[in-house]
Amino acid sequence: MMPRMDGFSLLKAIRATPEIQATPVILLSARAGEEAKIEGLEAGADDYLVKPFGGRELIARVESNIRIAKERAAAMRDYAEKLEQAVRKRTQELRRLNVSLQQSNEDLMQFAHVASHDLKEPVRKVRTFTGRLLEEYGGLLPEEAKKFLRKIQHATERMVTMIEGVLSYSILNSNAQPIMQVDLNEVFANIETDLEVVIAQSGAELRRDKLPVLEGAPVLLYQLFYNLVNNALKFSSEADKPLIAINSRLAEWSGKRIAEVTVRDNGIGFDQEQSNRIFEAFARLNSKDRFEGTGLGLALCKKIAERHHGSIAATGVRGEGAVFVVRLPLSQTEGSI
């Protein structure tokens, strides 16, 4: 019967107004019965009083609701204070943890560099002196002994490659790389130049469409696509000359404009159920005696793609080839990667 709105509408308006929504409200109504009371309480009333009522009862209910509201507010303040203390404590712990992780990272990096140098040096000596034995005393050694020495040389080469791969993988996230405009056409042109000898020896053919320009770290993007092309050459089929096709398209992915670059080959391929394992560090799908490598190349590719806020996926058919799809944002939101 009030002008403009009834009691229920007023109650809803109070509960929708942040400044007064916690105010205790008692509905006074001539509507008796359980259903009316339930409707009032469901609408957000703290109490419901049916007319006619006594003045003492009304005052008692008002005082009771004010006391409950004060107790509730005190409890909320106490809870908020405890929550703030817990957040402060957790923040301090996280800061200490961050400092500790930073120190651990630096220690790990230092260890990686030292270990890399210390490991490579004796391996180089083994390789050098094995070579000298073959060169200077090869004529005096039986063929079986020379075969063993060549196996030692081969193993030391693999060891050096492995050490360098582990070092590259461990330090990839350590140094921020500046973001620049990267022309992927230039990146692939440089890769073809650097792999010129391997391409010529294998008789490989590289077919490349015009590729986009995007923001990223040039050194890292070169590593990513170098590994993909080098893998395609390495895992080529004995029956056919390597054919590597590089295509791209612009698309939308996770709300961003991206370049989707596809590297397709006609090599030995792999079973599709191994498509996730292929990006794991040290994962090998083929015999290490037949195919050289560290098992880190594709793990590096995944790390680099993710550092650019992108992704990499692979599909393959055993004996028919593999397809790698790299998705990279056209623009980056930070100043470095």
Side-chain angles (χ1 to χ4, degrees):
M1 295 183 181
M2 296 191 302
R4 291 174 46 188
M5 63 175 71
D6 61 14
F8 287 108
S9 300
L10 175 60
L11 176 58
K12 288 176 183 176
I14 290 170
R15 292 293 180 244
T17 306
E19 294 82 3
I20 56 172
Q21 63 185 188
T23 304
V25 174
I26 302 174
L27 276 182
L28 308 178
S29 176
R31 291 177 60 197
E34 188 177 353
E35 283 189 15
K37 289 182 180 180
I38 291 172
E39 185 182 357
L41 295 173
E42 284 181 347
D46 295 276
D47 205 348
Y48 190 95
L49 195 56
V50 180
K51 300 174 183 178
F53 48 82
R56 290 177 62 189
E57 182 185 7
L58 175 60
I59 290 171
R61 294 206 184 204
V62 168
E63 288 175 346
S64 174
N65 277 282
I66 289 173
R67 186 181 67 255
I68 291 168
K70 285 180 177 178
E71 289 171 356
R72 187 184 298 135
M76 288 298 293
R77 281 195 300 272
D78 185 51
Y79 175 76
E81 188 177 336
K82 287 179 180 176
L83 182 62
E84 189 179 349
Q85 289 173 354
V87 169
R88 271 202 304 267
K89 183 181 177 183
R90 185 60 178 157
T91 303
Q92 289 170 354
E93 288 173 358
L94 287 172
R95 280 176 184 160
R96 284 196 295 270
L97 180 62
N98 187 45
V99 170
S100 175
L101 285 172
Q102 208 167 10
Q103 185 61 50
S104 297
N105 249 355
E106 290 171 4
D107 292 344
L108 182 61
M109 288 304 308
Q110 189 175 2
F111 171 77
H113 281 290
V114 171
S116 172
H117 180 271
D118 290 350
L119 284 170
K120 280 195 286 188
E121 197 53 40
V123 173
R124 280 198 194 99
K125 286 183 178 176
V126 172
R127 183 173 56 182
T128 300
F129 287 113
T130 305
R132 287 184 63 180
L133 277 172
L134 281 170
E135 288 173 14
E136 297 177 23
Y137 301 100
L140 305 174
L141 296 171
E143 195 57 41
E144 191 74 4
K146 286 191 279 188
K147 185 176 79 172
F148 291 154
L149 286 173
R150 281 192 286 271
K151 282 184 176 289
I152 293 171
Q153 276 187 319
H154 182 66
T156 53
E157 291 288 349
R158 284 187 56 244
M159 177 64 79
V160 170
T161 305
M162 179 69 75
I163 292 167
E164 289 173 348
V166 169
L167 183 60
S168 297
Y169 186 78
S170 66
I171 68 175
L172 182 60
N173 287 331
S174 63
N175 299 318
Q177 296 284 330
I179 291 175
M180 301 169 61
Q181 288 287 322
V182 181
D183 186 341
L184 293 183
N185 298 287
E186 292 180 11
V187 170
F188 276 95
N190 291 333
I191 291 169
E192 288 177 40
T193 300
D194 293 341
L195 291 172
E196 186 177 4
V197 174
V198 181
I199 291 170
Q201 287 175 344
S202 63
E205 181 185 355
L206 270 68
R207 297 176 184 170
R208 171 163 52 92
D209 289 346
K210 185 170 177 58
L211 303 171
V213 176
L214 50 81
E215 289 185 350
V219 173
L220 297 182
L221 291 176
Y222 173 88
Q223 279 186 304
L224 191 164
F225 291 111
Y226 177 92
N227 280 328
L228 292 182
V229 174
N230 193 39
N231 264 17
L233 293 168
K234 186 192 303 179
F235 297 107
S236 59
S237 168
E238 293 179 353
D240 303 301
K241 289 184 177 181
L243 173 61
I244 304 168
I246 300 114
N247 312 103
S248 73
R249 71 183 185 96
L250 299 181
E252 288 278 341
W253 181 64
S254 297
K256 294 180 181 177
R257 290 283 291 161
I258 64 159
E260 189 175 274
V261 182
T262 304
V263 179
R264 186 187 307 270
D265 66 60
N266 64 339
I268 61 171
F270 59 88
D271 296 323
Q272 187 56 35
E273 55 264 28
Q274 296 175 315
S275 61
N276 289 326
R277 183 171 167 260
I278 203 170
F279 295 106
E280 294 174 3
F282 304 108
R284 284 182 176 276
L285 307 187
N286 301 284
S287 167
K288 64 182 179 182
D289 295 324
R290 185 179 169 200
F291 297 99
E292 289 296 324
T294 62
L296 288 168
L298 290 177
L300 274 169
C301 290
K302 184 173 185 287
K303 260 195 170 188
I304 292 168
E306 288 174 352
R307 271 186 69 169
H308 283 79
H309 309 290
S311 70
I312 182 169
T315 56
V317 177
R318 179 71 67 177
E320 295 184 20
V323 180
F324 290 88
V325 179
V326 182
R327 294 184 178 91
L328 296 168
L330 294 179
S331 59
Q332 299 291 333
T333 54
E334 293 125 15
S336 61
I337 288 178

